[in-house]
Each structure stands twice: as structure tokens, then as C-alpha cells.
Amino acid sequence: MSRTATKTLAILIQTHFHGGQHGVPAMLLSDPGEGKTEIIGQMVQALKDGIFKTLNKDFKLGYKQFCATQHLPEDVGGIAVPDYEKGEVNMLPLSFVKSLSELKYGVLFVDELLSASLDVGAALQSVVSDHRFGPHRLAPGIAIVLASNPVESGTNSRPMSAAEASRVVHIPWSLDFDDFCDHMEDGKGAVRDLPIVQPDWKDMYYRRVWGLVKTYLRSSSRGVDGAPASFRNLPEPHEHHKAWPNPRTWKLCTLGLAAAWSAGYDPITDVGAMIADGLLGKAVGKELRVFIQKMDLPDPEEVLRDPDSYDAPLRPDRLMVFLDSVASVATQANHPNFKERWETAAHKIIGPVLATKEDCALSAASLLFKNVPPGAKFPTELKALHIARKNAGLVETRAFGG
């Protein structure tokens, strides 16, 4: 569990570095003395070294620890300072907020969250969700990591509210014994061999994961509001502190799984399980993994390399997810063979299905329309559909490349 937690945390931190506005916050929960504070500081340096070594990119990562029990709500939102000449009130930040807001990349570690006052906890929700300390917004590249001790072992600890619980990936934390021994002998301990998320993880895997998530939700039984029962399910009051499914956690789950997949951990691995369970709850997380495993879809990269060697899935739901995944990898504009891959997907994979099962291929075709490489040749099926959709005002005008 502890090695999985370390890998999961490293991946989630990196979603902030490469994901624009799409970072996924994490919450570490453990008994006292498990090394959370020390390991986070070590992880920042290890990630900096790993990103430079793997991606040949020099990252300047800042790090700030914010101990929630030592602060007041106004330390988060700012101290009101009147400006009598202008007739207004300015919110003056603490010095560390100003320095943190000037960083492009970094990690903000909020410790002892659940031992702080309720007012401080409420104020910190804007930091987690919006990267805001009052009027001061942090850069998207600042990762948010929270930590605390549970009610049973913390000092004046309280359970999380449902609102707080729906903003983070819940990660059960414990220090691995072998990691501890390695650390005591001057090794890297828990931060050795950290996974590195690819900079284009969202372009590569987000749509692929979303296709699986969307199909799972659509196949689920319906609740009283007509939406899938697992789309939203507020837990009973005594379980408000746990992960639970709602639109926000489904979005965060899709993002987290996409980042993990780019680092070598697909949704049914231990890391994928920790992300899904930590956002949706164990029951829904397990259902999602079982569903994905049963889909058993071809690897879109292998299909693009040899499109004549695969058999298209027959079931409409599997076929739609498969075509979406092909379109997502074929529309990576930074790939050196972008044009060739796009044309392979359009002519040999998506176009033929569009001619016979249009409803299954519309989503994938739409993605191709939005990402046309210069000089690309449209197959007849896509060209006719594109013209029809353009005339209906459903797509922006593009010149055909041949």
C-alpha cells in the first residue's frame, strides 16, 4: 500500500505541472509519525531531478509547508487594510503567499488540516479548488497536497465534511518498512524510482479515459433523477468524510487516471485503483475497474501501427470507446508523424465505420475535425459528414488538405 501511495502522490503532483488548469489535489491520511512532512519535501527534489533526467527539462520547483493549526482564517484570505484615500479595503497577504504566487511551479503542503479550526478549514477550500489565497491566485503549476491525522489518533482532529472530501484524492498513507530502512542508511527511501508523467498526458490519454468512464456511467442503472446511480451518491452523514461520486470527483478521476496512464499505470493497476477509490469510493471505484477490464479493448497505438491486423469490436459501446481512443492518439499535434497517423485513423479505421455505423463513429470523427494536420486528405465519408456539419453550424470552417 505505501509504495502505491507514494507513486500515486507523485503522479497527482505532476498533473499540476503539465495540466494547465487540470491539477488533481491529494489528501494524505495517516497516524502520527509516518513521515508525511519529511517525505513530501524529499519528493519535491526527487521529482525535480527525475523530470530533468527523463524529459531533459529543468524544472524550478518551489516548496512551502503551511501548518493549518498555526494560522487564522485571515492568514488565508488576507488581512483587511483600509485605503482611506481611495475609499476601499485591500486584503493584505502574508509574505509567503506573495512569494508563492510568484512561482510558476511548486508544491504547497497543507499539514494538520483536520486539527485546525473549522474557519481555517473552510477558508482553505478556496485554496484547494481555486488556487486562491483571498484575491491572490497561485499559478496552475502549484500542486496542492493536504495531510492530517485521523480522528482516532490526531490532536483535536475532526472528520472531513462532504464538501472537503469531494475536492481531493484520499490516499491512505503509511511508511514502507524497506523504504524506512533505505532512508536510515542514507538512501532515497520512499522517493526512489518515482514515476514521471508525460507533459502531453492530457492530450494523449484524457479522451481515452473519458470514453471508458462515459460508457461505464451510461451503462449503469438510473437513479431517481434519471442520471446514472453512480454519477452522484452523497453518503450518509456518518460517512461524509469519505470519498464519494459526484460530477467533480468524476472529472478529477478522469484526469488522474489519464495522468497515471501516461506514466505507465493504466486504470486497472494498483495506482489506478488508488485514484479511483480515493475519489469515487471503494464500491464505485471497483465497479469502474471491473467494467474497464471486461471491455478488453485493442491498444490504439498498435492499431495505428498496423491497422489491417485488428478486428473492430462488434458491441456498439466497445466500438465507440475504441474509436475515441484511436482518435485521441491520432490527433496529437506534437507527434512527428501527426499527418500520417491522422490519415491512417481517418481512412482505415474511423472512416469505414462512419459509413456503416455513423452513431458509433461520430464522436471520434468530431475529434478528427477539430485537429486536422496541414495537407491531410479526408476520406469520402469524413468529408461528406464534415460538410454537412459545417453547413449546420456544428463545426468551424476548415480548408481541406487535398
Side-chain angles (χ1 to χ4, degrees):
M1 178 66 75
S2 55
R3 289 297 298 165
T4 301
T6 306
K7 292 184 289 186
T8 301
L9 178 60
I11 288 170
L12 296 178
I13 286 175
Q14 292 172 81
T15 62
H16 296 265
F17 301 161
H18 309 303
Q21 301 292 335
H22 304 291
V24 183
M27 172 69 180
L28 311 181
L29 199 65
S30 80
D31 291 326
E34 291 289 342
K36 298 184 294 296
T37 304
E38 185 173 0
I39 290 173
I40 296 300
Q42 295 171 352
M43 185 175 287
V44 171
Q45 184 60 47
L47 283 175
K48 179 181 178 180
D49 295 341
I51 290 171
F52 177 77
K53 181 178 180 181
T54 305
L55 306 180
N56 195 26
K57 189 172 184 179
D58 188 14
F59 259 45
K60 296 180 179 179
L61 296 183
Y63 174 64
K64 176 62 183 179
Q65 180 184 351
F66 182 94
C67 186
T69 55
Q70 298 175 11
H71 289 276
L72 300 172
E74 52 265 37
D75 295 342
V76 179
I79 299 172
V81 178
D83 185 329
Y84 296 106
E85 291 185 1
K86 294 183 178 180
E88 61 186 27
V89 175
N90 298 315
M91 303 305 290
L92 188 67
L94 295 185
S95 58
F96 90 88
V97 175
K98 186 176 180 180
S99 61
L100 195 61
S101 64
E102 294 172 350
L103 291 174
K104 187 175 182 179
Y105 302 105
V107 175
L108 172 62
F109 179 49
V110 180
D111 202 3
E112 299 183 9
L113 173 68
L114 302 181
S115 293
S117 69
L118 290 173
D119 289 343
V120 172
L124 284 167
Q125 288 191 39
S126 65
V127 178
V128 178
S129 295
D130 304 321
H131 271 56
R132 279 191 178 278
F133 277 89
H136 300 275
R137 183 182 289 275
L138 304 181
I142 303 297
I144 309 293
V145 180
L146 313 176
S148 196
N149 305 131
V151 174
E152 298 79 15
S153 60
T155 302
N156 297 324
S157 287
R158 59 173 177 86
M160 295 186 84
S161 67
E164 290 174 309
S166 70
R167 285 171 162 80
V168 295
V169 181
H170 298 242
I171 300 179
W173 187 268
S174 60
L175 183 59
D176 180 81
F177 176 68
D178 290 335
D179 287 344
F180 174 70
C181 292
D182 184 64
H183 167 71
M184 293 296 288
E185 295 165 4
D186 297 325
K188 290 187 176 182
V191 300
R192 68 182 191 275
D193 302 324
L194 295 178
I196 299 299
V197 172
Q198 298 303 310
D200 54 355
W201 64 270
K202 191 170 183 291
D203 293 335
M204 291 174 61
Y205 290 97
Y206 176 79
R207 189 177 178 88
R208 188 171 173 182
V209 173
W210 170 236
L212 293 167
V213 168
K214 177 176 63 176
T215 306
Y216 161 76
L217 287 171
R218 285 181 170 169
S219 67
S220 301
S221 58
R222 300 284 161 164
V224 293
D225 60 353
S230 54
F231 181 55
R232 60 171 64 87
N233 186 12
L234 181 66
E236 296 296 323
H238 67 281
E239 293 189 325
H240 276 182
H241 62 287
K242 296 182 179 180
W244 59 285
N246 59 72
R248 176 162 51 208
T249 55
W250 276 112
K251 179 179 180 180
L252 291 174
C253 182
T254 303
L255 291 166
L257 292 177
W261 210 337
S262 84
Y265 299 92
D266 67 44
I268 62 174
T269 59
D270 54 351
V271 170
M274 182 164 283
I275 292 172
D277 293 356
L279 282 162
L280 309 172
K282 290 185 178 180
V284 176
K286 183 176 181 180
E287 281 185 9
L288 177 63
R289 287 194 301 282
V290 170
F291 175 83
I292 292 174
Q293 194 165 20
K294 287 183 177 179
M295 291 291 279
D296 191 26
L297 296 173
D299 186 325
E301 288 288 355
E302 293 182 5
V303 172
L304 279 179
R305 284 193 290 269
D306 189 4
D308 298 321
S309 67
Y310 86 102
D311 294 321
L314 297 177
R315 269 175 39 192
D317 59 341
R318 295 182 68 240
L319 179 58
M320 184 181 298
V321 175
F322 165 68
L323 295 178
D324 277 357
S325 68
V326 171
S328 68
V329 299
T331 52
Q332 296 167 25
N334 59 348
H335 196 283
N337 299 320
F338 177 30
K339 179 173 176 289
E340 291 78 3
R341 286 157 61 87
W342 189 96
E343 290 182 338
T344 297
H347 287 264
K348 295 188 176 183
I349 303 170
I350 297 171
V353 177
L354 192 63
T356 58
K357 299 178 180 179
E358 183 176 298
D359 57 332
C360 293
L362 276 176
S363 176
S366 297
L367 185 58
L368 292 180
F369 293 152
K370 295 175 183 176
N371 300 274
V372 183
K377 295 182 178 180
F378 277 66
T380 304
E381 301 88 353
L382 259 71
K383 189 170 185 177
L385 178 63
H386 184 279
I387 293 173
R389 289 170 62 83
K390 184 178 70 174
N391 291 339
L394 299 177
V395 294
E396 61 185 87
T397 302
R398 284 189 185 275
F400 290 109

